[in-house]
Amino acid sequence: MLTYLLAFILFAVGLYSVINKRNLIKIIMGVIIMEHAVNAFLILIGYRMSGEAPIVEEGVSISEFLSTAVDPLPQALVITSIVISLGVVALMVGLAIRIYQHYGTFDITEIRKLRG
Amino acid sequence: MVLIQVFLVFAIIAALVAVEAPSALSSIISLGAVGFGLSVAFLWLGAPDIAITQVVVEIVTLVILIRATIARGVTEIRGNESKTLLIGSLILFGLGSAFFANYLSDFPEFGKSAMETFSNPASQFYLKFGLDKAGGPNIVNDILLDFRAFDTLGEATVLFAAILGAITLLNRKVFIGNGEEKE
């Protein structure tokens, strides 16, 4: 339970950054931290005590493999999620760079003032 | 199990430093420390594929973020926050903790994976028949490229769309026409 709690605290740090910071780069960092926390949580759910990677080795019987391997399904989906998060981060940073060129600042309150 | 918790605590501390550090370089490098700490934790959790992917993605993310700030002369990113937002985030944190505590009992106990607690899970099928039906010893790759290949196709589509959007945003010629380009 403590391990799940640690993943939750990591998520809370990211959420704090997204809500509370006024700098666009800090907000992007908060989103990245939240993504990391969710990925770590999903992997933690699939873990089994003293489990091994789900790779079939030679000379290992199927029943033995079934009793030691960790859950492969969350891992496959988390790989998808990690790669997509890279694309999303690239898109967010592209938007932030354009905003910086247009307004000369990363501060979101300044951006609101300069509008119009 | 203690090792996993140590690396998670390391990631949390690095995340706090990344959020609070005023210097752009130290902030971004601390963000990298979060990713790399979690990558080592993934290795201990029996997920080597994810650890490798995480390292590659983390490096690319750091390069992108440094390109956005330090390469443009922004070396300080201060996030002067307001008090009302702090109260709001505390309220949200309390609500989130309440939800977490409420559903904590529904989680499988740590060290007892989800496929053991629920009856007839798909993971058991993949583990049992992955080698025979897909032909690869690595079950994660079997799922990605054979059992759920359409999922991977969708992932590639989303990635393509996101990168296309980023390239369009960063393309200089698109914005020159409006006279808004300052660089």
mmCIF file of all heavy atoms in Angstrom, chain A residues 22-63:
data_model
loop_
_atom_site.group_PDB
_atom_site.id
_atom_site.type_symbol
_atom_site.label_atom_id
_atom_site.label_comp_id
_atom_site.label_asym_id
_atom_site.label_seq_id
_atom_site.Cartn_x
_atom_site.Cartn_y
_atom_site.Cartn_z
ATOM 1 N N ARG A 22 2.866 29.703 -12.583
ATOM 2 C CA ARG A 22 2.437 30.580 -13.666
ATOM 3 C C ARG A 22 3.318 30.477 -14.884
ATOM 4 O O ARG A 22 3.045 31.114 -15.897
ATOM 5 C CB ARG A 22 2.463 32.027 -13.174
ATOM 6 C CG ARG A 22 1.370 32.314 -12.180
ATOM 7 C CD ARG A 22 1.404 33.752 -11.810
ATOM 8 N NE ARG A 22 0.362 34.051 -10.849
ATOM 9 C CZ ARG A 22 0.297 35.206 -10.233
ATOM 10 N NH1 ARG A 22 1.198 36.142 -10.476
ATOM 11 N NH2 ARG A 22 -0.671 35.429 -9.368
ATOM 12 N N ASN A 23 4.396 29.711 -14.768
ATOM 13 C CA ASN A 23 5.326 29.613 -15.880
ATOM 14 C C ASN A 23 4.949 28.438 -16.778
ATOM 15 O O ASN A 23 4.687 27.346 -16.299
ATOM 16 C CB ASN A 23 6.747 29.428 -15.327
ATOM 17 C CG ASN A 23 7.785 29.672 -16.367
ATOM 18 O OD1 ASN A 23 7.780 28.995 -17.379
ATOM 19 N ND2 ASN A 23 8.651 30.632 -16.141
ATOM 20 N N LEU A 24 4.909 28.687 -18.096
ATOM 21 C CA LEU A 24 4.457 27.631 -19.013
ATOM 22 C C LEU A 24 5.357 26.403 -18.948
ATOM 23 O O LEU A 24 4.873 25.270 -19.018
ATOM 24 C CB LEU A 24 4.440 28.177 -20.444
ATOM 25 C CG LEU A 24 3.150 28.822 -20.898
ATOM 26 C CD1 LEU A 24 3.316 29.346 -22.299
ATOM 27 C CD2 LEU A 24 2.043 27.797 -20.889
ATOM 28 N N ILE A 25 6.683 26.635 -18.808
ATOM 29 C CA ILE A 25 7.597 25.493 -18.777
ATOM 30 C C ILE A 25 7.345 24.647 -17.533
ATOM 31 O O ILE A 25 7.362 23.408 -17.581
ATOM 32 C CB ILE A 25 9.051 25.988 -18.820
ATOM 33 C CG1 ILE A 25 9.313 26.732 -20.118
ATOM 34 C CG2 ILE A 25 10.022 24.832 -18.710
ATOM 35 C CD1 ILE A 25 9.188 25.883 -21.333
ATOM 36 N N LYS A 26 7.073 25.326 -16.388
ATOM 37 C CA LYS A 26 6.773 24.566 -15.169
ATOM 38 C C LYS A 26 5.492 23.761 -15.323
ATOM 39 O O LYS A 26 5.371 22.654 -14.805
ATOM 40 C CB LYS A 26 6.638 25.526 -13.976
ATOM 41 C CG LYS A 26 7.912 26.224 -13.601
ATOM 42 C CD LYS A 26 8.756 25.358 -12.714
ATOM 43 C CE LYS A 26 9.957 26.154 -12.249
ATOM 44 N NZ LYS A 26 10.966 25.341 -11.627
ATOM 45 N N ILE A 27 4.509 24.332 -16.025
ATOM 46 C CA ILE A 27 3.248 23.606 -16.229
ATOM 47 C C ILE A 27 3.491 22.358 -17.078
ATOM 48 O O ILE A 27 2.975 21.269 -16.774
ATOM 49 C CB ILE A 27 2.208 24.542 -16.874
ATOM 50 C CG1 ILE A 27 1.800 25.614 -15.872
ATOM 51 C CG2 ILE A 27 1.004 23.778 -17.340
ATOM 52 C CD1 ILE A 27 0.892 26.644 -16.440
ATOM 53 N N ILE A 28 4.311 22.518 -18.128
ATOM 54 C CA ILE A 28 4.627 21.358 -18.970
ATOM 55 C C ILE A 28 5.339 20.292 -18.143
ATOM 56 O O ILE A 28 5.072 19.094 -18.265
ATOM 57 C CB ILE A 28 5.476 21.801 -20.175
ATOM 58 C CG1 ILE A 28 4.634 22.667 -21.111
ATOM 59 C CG2 ILE A 28 6.015 20.610 -20.940
ATOM 60 C CD1 ILE A 28 5.421 23.279 -22.227
ATOM 61 N N MET A 29 6.271 20.756 -17.246
ATOM 62 C CA MET A 29 6.967 19.804 -16.379
ATOM 63 C C MET A 29 5.983 19.057 -15.477
ATOM 64 O O MET A 29 6.131 17.846 -15.256
ATOM 65 C CB MET A 29 7.976 20.538 -15.506
ATOM 66 C CG MET A 29 9.235 20.879 -16.232
ATOM 67 S SD MET A 29 10.341 21.689 -15.109
ATOM 68 C CE MET A 29 11.717 21.915 -16.188
ATOM 69 N N GLY A 30 4.984 19.775 -14.970
ATOM 70 C CA GLY A 30 3.988 19.131 -14.130
ATOM 71 C C GLY A 30 3.241 18.044 -14.881
ATOM 72 O O GLY A 30 3.000 16.956 -14.346
ATOM 73 N N VAL A 31 2.889 18.333 -16.147
ATOM 74 C CA VAL A 31 2.197 17.318 -16.953
ATOM 75 C C VAL A 31 3.080 16.098 -17.150
ATOM 76 O O VAL A 31 2.617 14.941 -17.037
ATOM 77 C CB VAL A 31 1.774 17.928 -18.308
ATOM 78 C CG1 VAL A 31 1.226 16.865 -19.210
ATOM 79 C CG2 VAL A 31 0.760 19.012 -18.097
ATOM 80 N N ILE A 32 4.386 16.333 -17.391
ATOM 81 C CA ILE A 32 5.303 15.201 -17.596
ATOM 82 C C ILE A 32 5.395 14.361 -16.322
ATOM 83 O O ILE A 32 5.375 13.118 -16.377
ATOM 84 C CB ILE A 32 6.696 15.721 -18.004
ATOM 85 C CG1 ILE A 32 6.626 16.408 -19.367
ATOM 86 C CG2 ILE A 32 7.693 14.588 -18.068
ATOM 87 C CD1 ILE A 32 7.894 17.099 -19.763
ATOM 88 N N ILE A 33 5.484 15.038 -15.162
ATOM 89 C CA ILE A 33 5.585 14.301 -13.896
ATOM 90 C C ILE A 33 4.331 13.467 -13.654
ATOM 91 O O ILE A 33 4.381 12.316 -13.207
ATOM 92 C CB ILE A 33 5.840 15.278 -12.732
ATOM 93 C CG1 ILE A 33 7.232 15.875 -12.854
ATOM 94 C CG2 ILE A 33 5.717 14.587 -11.392
ATOM 95 C CD1 ILE A 33 7.490 16.991 -11.897
ATOM 96 N N MET A 34 3.155 14.049 -13.988
ATOM 97 C CA MET A 34 1.911 13.295 -13.810
ATOM 98 C C MET A 34 1.883 12.056 -14.703
ATOM 99 O O MET A 34 1.438 10.976 -14.277
ATOM 100 C CB MET A 34 0.703 14.192 -14.098
ATOM 101 C CG MET A 34 0.302 15.048 -12.930
ATOM 102 S SD MET A 34 -0.608 16.496 -13.404
ATOM 103 C CE MET A 34 -2.110 15.819 -13.979
ATOM 104 N N GLU A 35 2.366 12.211 -15.942
ATOM 105 C CA GLU A 35 2.416 11.050 -16.836
ATOM 106 C C GLU A 35 3.304 9.951 -16.251
ATOM 107 O O GLU A 35 2.945 8.772 -16.248
ATOM 108 C CB GLU A 35 2.948 11.475 -18.206
ATOM 109 C CG GLU A 35 1.901 12.117 -19.090
ATOM 110 C CD GLU A 35 2.514 12.824 -20.272
ATOM 111 O OE1 GLU A 35 3.756 12.901 -20.329
ATOM 112 O OE2 GLU A 35 1.765 13.306 -21.119
ATOM 113 N N HIS A 36 4.472 10.377 -15.722
ATOM 114 C CA HIS A 36 5.373 9.395 -15.117
ATOM 115 C C HIS A 36 4.696 8.664 -13.968
ATOM 116 O O HIS A 36 4.831 7.443 -13.834
ATOM 117 C CB HIS A 36 6.629 10.097 -14.590
ATOM 118 C CG HIS A 36 7.611 10.415 -15.668
ATOM 119 N ND1 HIS A 36 8.625 11.308 -15.510
ATOM 120 C CD2 HIS A 36 7.718 9.955 -16.917
ATOM 121 C CE1 HIS A 36 9.320 11.377 -16.613
ATOM 122 N NE2 HIS A 36 8.790 10.577 -17.482
ATOM 123 N N ALA A 37 3.966 9.429 -13.146
ATOM 124 C CA ALA A 37 3.336 8.827 -11.968
ATOM 125 C C ALA A 37 2.304 7.793 -12.375
ATOM 126 O O ALA A 37 2.248 6.698 -11.797
ATOM 127 C CB ALA A 37 2.698 9.914 -11.107
ATOM 128 N N VAL A 38 1.487 8.120 -13.393
ATOM 129 C CA VAL A 38 0.451 7.170 -13.810
ATOM 130 C C VAL A 38 1.074 5.913 -14.398
ATOM 131 O O VAL A 38 0.644 4.782 -14.117
ATOM 132 C CB VAL A 38 -0.509 7.852 -14.805
ATOM 133 C CG1 VAL A 38 -1.448 6.839 -15.408
ATOM 134 C CG2 VAL A 38 -1.297 8.919 -14.112
ATOM 135 N N ASN A 39 2.138 6.102 -15.209
ATOM 136 C CA ASN A 39 2.816 4.929 -15.769
ATOM 137 C C ASN A 39 3.367 4.035 -14.665
ATOM 138 O O ASN A 39 3.205 2.807 -14.695
ATOM 139 C CB ASN A 39 3.964 5.380 -16.683
ATOM 140 C CG ASN A 39 3.455 6.026 -17.940
ATOM 141 O OD1 ASN A 39 2.313 5.827 -18.308
ATOM 142 N ND2 ASN A 39 4.285 6.799 -18.597
ATOM 143 N N ALA A 40 4.024 4.667 -13.673
ATOM 144 C CA ALA A 40 4.596 3.887 -12.578
ATOM 145 C C ALA A 40 3.503 3.151 -11.816
ATOM 146 O O ALA A 40 3.671 1.984 -11.438
ATOM 147 C CB ALA A 40 5.372 4.803 -11.635
ATOM 148 N N PHE A 41 2.344 3.801 -11.637
ATOM 149 C CA PHE A 41 1.244 3.165 -10.912
ATOM 150 C C PHE A 41 0.736 1.923 -11.645
ATOM 151 O O PHE A 41 0.502 0.875 -11.034
ATOM 152 C CB PHE A 41 0.118 4.177 -10.728
ATOM 153 C CG PHE A 41 -1.073 3.627 -10.029
ATOM 154 C CD1 PHE A 41 -0.995 3.277 -8.699
ATOM 155 C CD2 PHE A 41 -2.257 3.450 -10.701
ATOM 156 C CE1 PHE A 41 -2.083 2.752 -8.057
ATOM 157 C CE2 PHE A 41 -3.350 2.933 -10.067
ATOM 158 C CZ PHE A 41 -3.260 2.585 -8.739
ATOM 159 N N LEU A 42 0.591 2.031 -12.974
ATOM 160 C CA LEU A 42 0.092 0.878 -13.730
ATOM 161 C C LEU A 42 1.070 -0.291 -13.657
ATOM 162 O O LEU A 42 0.658 -1.452 -13.524
ATOM 163 C CB LEU A 42 -0.153 1.285 -15.185
ATOM 164 C CG LEU A 42 -1.364 2.183 -15.384
ATOM 165 C CD1 LEU A 42 -1.477 2.611 -16.828
ATOM 166 C CD2 LEU A 42 -2.619 1.457 -14.984
ATOM 167 N N ILE A 43 2.376 0.029 -13.737
ATOM 168 C CA ILE A 43 3.356 -1.056 -13.645
ATOM 169 C C ILE A 43 3.325 -1.681 -12.254
ATOM 170 O O ILE A 43 3.444 -2.899 -12.096
ATOM 171 C CB ILE A 43 4.762 -0.525 -13.965
ATOM 172 C CG1 ILE A 43 4.812 -0.014 -15.389
ATOM 173 C CG2 ILE A 43 5.801 -1.610 -13.806
ATOM 174 C CD1 ILE A 43 4.624 -1.058 -16.412
ATOM 175 N N LEU A 44 3.140 -0.833 -11.226
ATOM 176 C CA LEU A 44 3.088 -1.360 -9.854
ATOM 177 C C LEU A 44 1.914 -2.313 -9.688
ATOM 178 O O LEU A 44 2.016 -3.325 -8.982
ATOM 179 C CB LEU A 44 2.968 -0.217 -8.852
ATOM 180 C CG LEU A 44 4.209 0.601 -8.583
ATOM 181 C CD1 LEU A 44 3.880 1.754 -7.660
ATOM 182 C CD2 LEU A 44 5.263 -0.259 -7.960
ATOM 183 N N ILE A 45 0.778 -2.017 -10.338
ATOM 184 C CA ILE A 45 -0.382 -2.904 -10.220
ATOM 185 C C ILE A 45 -0.080 -4.265 -10.830
ATOM 186 O O ILE A 45 -0.515 -5.305 -10.334
ATOM 187 C CB ILE A 45 -1.612 -2.245 -10.901
ATOM 188 C CG1 ILE A 45 -2.227 -1.252 -9.946
ATOM 189 C CG2 ILE A 45 -2.623 -3.280 -11.309
ATOM 190 C CD1 ILE A 45 -3.611 -0.866 -10.283
ATOM 191 N N GLY A 46 0.721 -4.283 -11.938
ATOM 192 C CA GLY A 46 1.000 -5.560 -12.583
ATOM 193 C C GLY A 46 2.097 -6.362 -11.916
ATOM 194 O O GLY A 46 2.344 -7.496 -12.313
ATOM 195 N N TYR A 47 2.765 -5.775 -10.902
ATOM 196 C CA TYR A 47 3.901 -6.482 -10.302
ATOM 197 C C TYR A 47 3.428 -7.599 -9.382
ATOM 198 O O TYR A 47 2.383 -7.491 -8.751
ATOM 199 C CB TYR A 47 4.752 -5.480 -9.513
ATOM 200 C CG TYR A 47 6.002 -6.083 -8.914
ATOM 201 C CD1 TYR A 47 7.006 -6.556 -9.736
ATOM 202 C CD2 TYR A 47 6.166 -6.171 -7.545
ATOM 203 C CE1 TYR A 47 8.148 -7.108 -9.205
ATOM 204 C CE2 TYR A 47 7.305 -6.720 -6.999
ATOM 205 C CZ TYR A 47 8.291 -7.189 -7.842
ATOM 206 O OH TYR A 47 9.416 -7.732 -7.291
ATOM 207 N N ARG A 48 4.236 -8.640 -9.349
ATOM 208 C CA ARG A 48 3.953 -9.736 -8.422
ATOM 209 C C ARG A 48 5.241 -9.987 -7.655
ATOM 210 O O ARG A 48 6.328 -9.816 -8.169
ATOM 211 C CB ARG A 48 3.466 -10.937 -9.216
ATOM 212 C CG ARG A 48 4.184 -12.210 -8.963
ATOM 213 C CD ARG A 48 4.004 -13.164 -10.111
ATOM 214 N NE ARG A 48 2.639 -13.674 -10.188
ATOM 215 C CZ ARG A 48 2.275 -14.561 -11.096
ATOM 216 N NH1 ARG A 48 3.128 -15.007 -11.985
ATOM 217 N NH2 ARG A 48 1.041 -14.997 -11.150
ATOM 218 N N MET A 49 5.076 -10.366 -6.399
ATOM 219 C CA MET A 49 6.229 -10.437 -5.502
ATOM 220 C C MET A 49 7.300 -11.384 -6.044
ATOM 221 O O MET A 49 6.999 -12.505 -6.461
ATOM 222 C CB MET A 49 5.759 -10.899 -4.116
ATOM 223 C CG MET A 49 6.731 -10.553 -3.020
ATOM 224 S SD MET A 49 7.146 -8.812 -2.996
ATOM 225 C CE MET A 49 5.748 -8.147 -2.113
ATOM 226 N N SER A 50 8.520 -10.904 -6.088
ATOM 227 C CA SER A 50 9.694 -11.599 -6.635
ATOM 228 C C SER A 50 9.395 -12.138 -8.026
ATOM 229 O O SER A 50 9.752 -13.267 -8.378
ATOM 230 C CB SER A 50 10.181 -12.718 -5.712
ATOM 231 O OG SER A 50 9.214 -13.748 -5.675
ATOM 232 N N GLY A 51 8.712 -11.319 -8.815
ATOM 233 C CA GLY A 51 8.358 -11.722 -10.169
ATOM 234 C C GLY A 51 9.490 -11.434 -11.134
ATOM 235 O O GLY A 51 10.395 -10.666 -10.857
ATOM 236 N N GLU A 52 9.436 -12.077 -12.287
ATOM 237 C CA GLU A 52 10.464 -11.883 -13.299
ATOM 238 C C GLU A 52 9.830 -11.292 -14.550
ATOM 239 O O GLU A 52 8.616 -11.297 -14.714
ATOM 240 C CB GLU A 52 11.098 -13.234 -13.639
ATOM 241 C CG GLU A 52 11.602 -13.927 -12.392
ATOM 242 C CD GLU A 52 12.943 -14.575 -12.599
ATOM 243 O OE1 GLU A 52 13.278 -14.870 -13.758
ATOM 244 O OE2 GLU A 52 13.651 -14.765 -11.592
ATOM 245 N N ALA A 53 10.692 -10.779 -15.449
ATOM 246 C CA ALA A 53 10.203 -10.182 -16.691
ATOM 247 C C ALA A 53 9.485 -11.231 -17.527
ATOM 248 O O ALA A 53 9.880 -12.400 -17.522
ATOM 249 C CB ALA A 53 11.379 -9.606 -17.475
ATOM 250 N N PRO A 54 8.397 -10.863 -18.225
ATOM 251 C CA PRO A 54 7.629 -11.849 -19.001
ATOM 252 C C PRO A 54 8.332 -12.249 -20.287
ATOM 253 O O PRO A 54 7.850 -11.978 -21.376
ATOM 254 C CB PRO A 54 6.306 -11.132 -19.262
ATOM 255 C CG PRO A 54 6.651 -9.694 -19.216
ATOM 256 C CD PRO A 54 7.776 -9.547 -18.249
ATOM 257 N N ILE A 55 9.495 -12.857 -20.159
ATOM 258 C CA ILE A 55 10.246 -13.349 -21.317
ATOM 259 C C ILE A 55 10.501 -14.835 -21.121
ATOM 260 O O ILE A 55 11.069 -15.239 -20.107
ATOM 261 C CB ILE A 55 11.579 -12.586 -21.472
ATOM 262 C CG1 ILE A 55 11.324 -11.105 -21.669
ATOM 263 C CG2 ILE A 55 12.376 -13.155 -22.629
ATOM 264 C CD1 ILE A 55 12.560 -10.258 -21.626
ATOM 265 N N VAL A 56 10.035 -15.634 -22.094
ATOM 266 C CA VAL A 56 10.172 -17.089 -21.977
ATOM 267 C C VAL A 56 11.635 -17.466 -22.198
ATOM 268 O O VAL A 56 12.229 -17.104 -23.216
ATOM 269 C CB VAL A 56 9.290 -17.800 -23.016
ATOM 270 C CG1 VAL A 56 9.361 -19.296 -22.816
ATOM 271 C CG2 VAL A 56 7.872 -17.330 -22.911
ATOM 272 N N GLU A 57 12.200 -18.160 -21.227
ATOM 273 C CA GLU A 57 13.576 -18.613 -21.391
ATOM 274 C C GLU A 57 13.593 -20.091 -21.745
ATOM 275 O O GLU A 57 12.644 -20.827 -21.467
ATOM 276 C CB GLU A 57 14.371 -18.376 -20.097
ATOM 277 C CG GLU A 57 14.703 -16.921 -19.899
ATOM 278 C CD GLU A 57 15.319 -16.669 -18.549
ATOM 279 O OE1 GLU A 57 16.051 -17.562 -18.078
ATOM 280 O OE2 GLU A 57 15.065 -15.604 -17.973
ATOM 281 N N GLU A 58 14.686 -20.496 -22.334
ATOM 282 C CA GLU A 58 14.812 -21.900 -22.749
ATOM 283 C C GLU A 58 14.935 -22.786 -21.515
ATOM 284 O O GLU A 58 15.629 -22.441 -20.557
ATOM 285 C CB GLU A 58 16.045 -22.062 -23.634
ATOM 286 C CG GLU A 58 15.774 -22.893 -24.871
ATOM 287 C CD GLU A 58 16.941 -22.848 -25.837
ATOM 288 O OE1 GLU A 58 17.573 -21.792 -25.948
ATOM 289 O OE2 GLU A 58 17.202 -23.870 -26.465
ATOM 290 N N GLY A 59 14.260 -23.900 -21.535
ATOM 291 C CA GLY A 59 14.367 -24.849 -20.430
ATOM 292 C C GLY A 59 13.455 -24.550 -19.264
ATOM 293 O O GLY A 59 13.550 -25.209 -18.234
ATOM 294 N N VAL A 60 12.572 -23.546 -19.418
ATOM 295 C CA VAL A 60 11.637 -23.228 -18.341
ATOM 296 C C VAL A 60 10.266 -23.732 -18.760
ATOM 297 O O VAL A 60 9.777 -23.392 -19.837
ATOM 298 C CB VAL A 60 11.585 -21.712 -18.077
ATOM 299 C CG1 VAL A 60 10.556 -21.394 -17.020
ATOM 300 C CG2 VAL A 60 12.958 -21.218 -17.653
ATOM 301 N N SER A 61 9.650 -24.557 -17.925
ATOM 302 C CA SER A 61 8.349 -25.114 -18.295
ATOM 303 C C SER A 61 7.280 -24.037 -18.199
ATOM 304 O O SER A 61 7.455 -23.018 -17.523
ATOM 305 C CB SER A 61 7.995 -26.269 -17.355
ATOM 306 O OG SER A 61 7.746 -25.747 -16.071
ATOM 307 N N ILE A 62 6.154 -24.244 -18.908
ATOM 308 C CA ILE A 62 5.146 -23.191 -19.046
ATOM 309 C C ILE A 62 4.467 -22.912 -17.710
ATOM 310 O O ILE A 62 4.115 -21.775 -17.405
ATOM 311 C CB ILE A 62 4.126 -23.565 -20.149
ATOM 312 C CG1 ILE A 62 3.356 -22.332 -20.620
ATOM 313 C CG2 ILE A 62 3.198 -24.649 -19.707
ATOM 314 C CD1 ILE A 62 4.162 -21.405 -21.458
ATOM 315 N N SER A 63 4.294 -23.960 -16.881
ATOM 316 C CA SER A 63 3.625 -23.735 -15.599
ATOM 317 C C SER A 63 4.526 -22.931 -14.664
ATOM 318 O O SER A 63 4.066 -22.036 -13.945
ATOM 319 C CB SER A 63 3.274 -25.082 -14.959
ATOM 320 O OG SER A 63 4.446 -25.833 -14.766
#
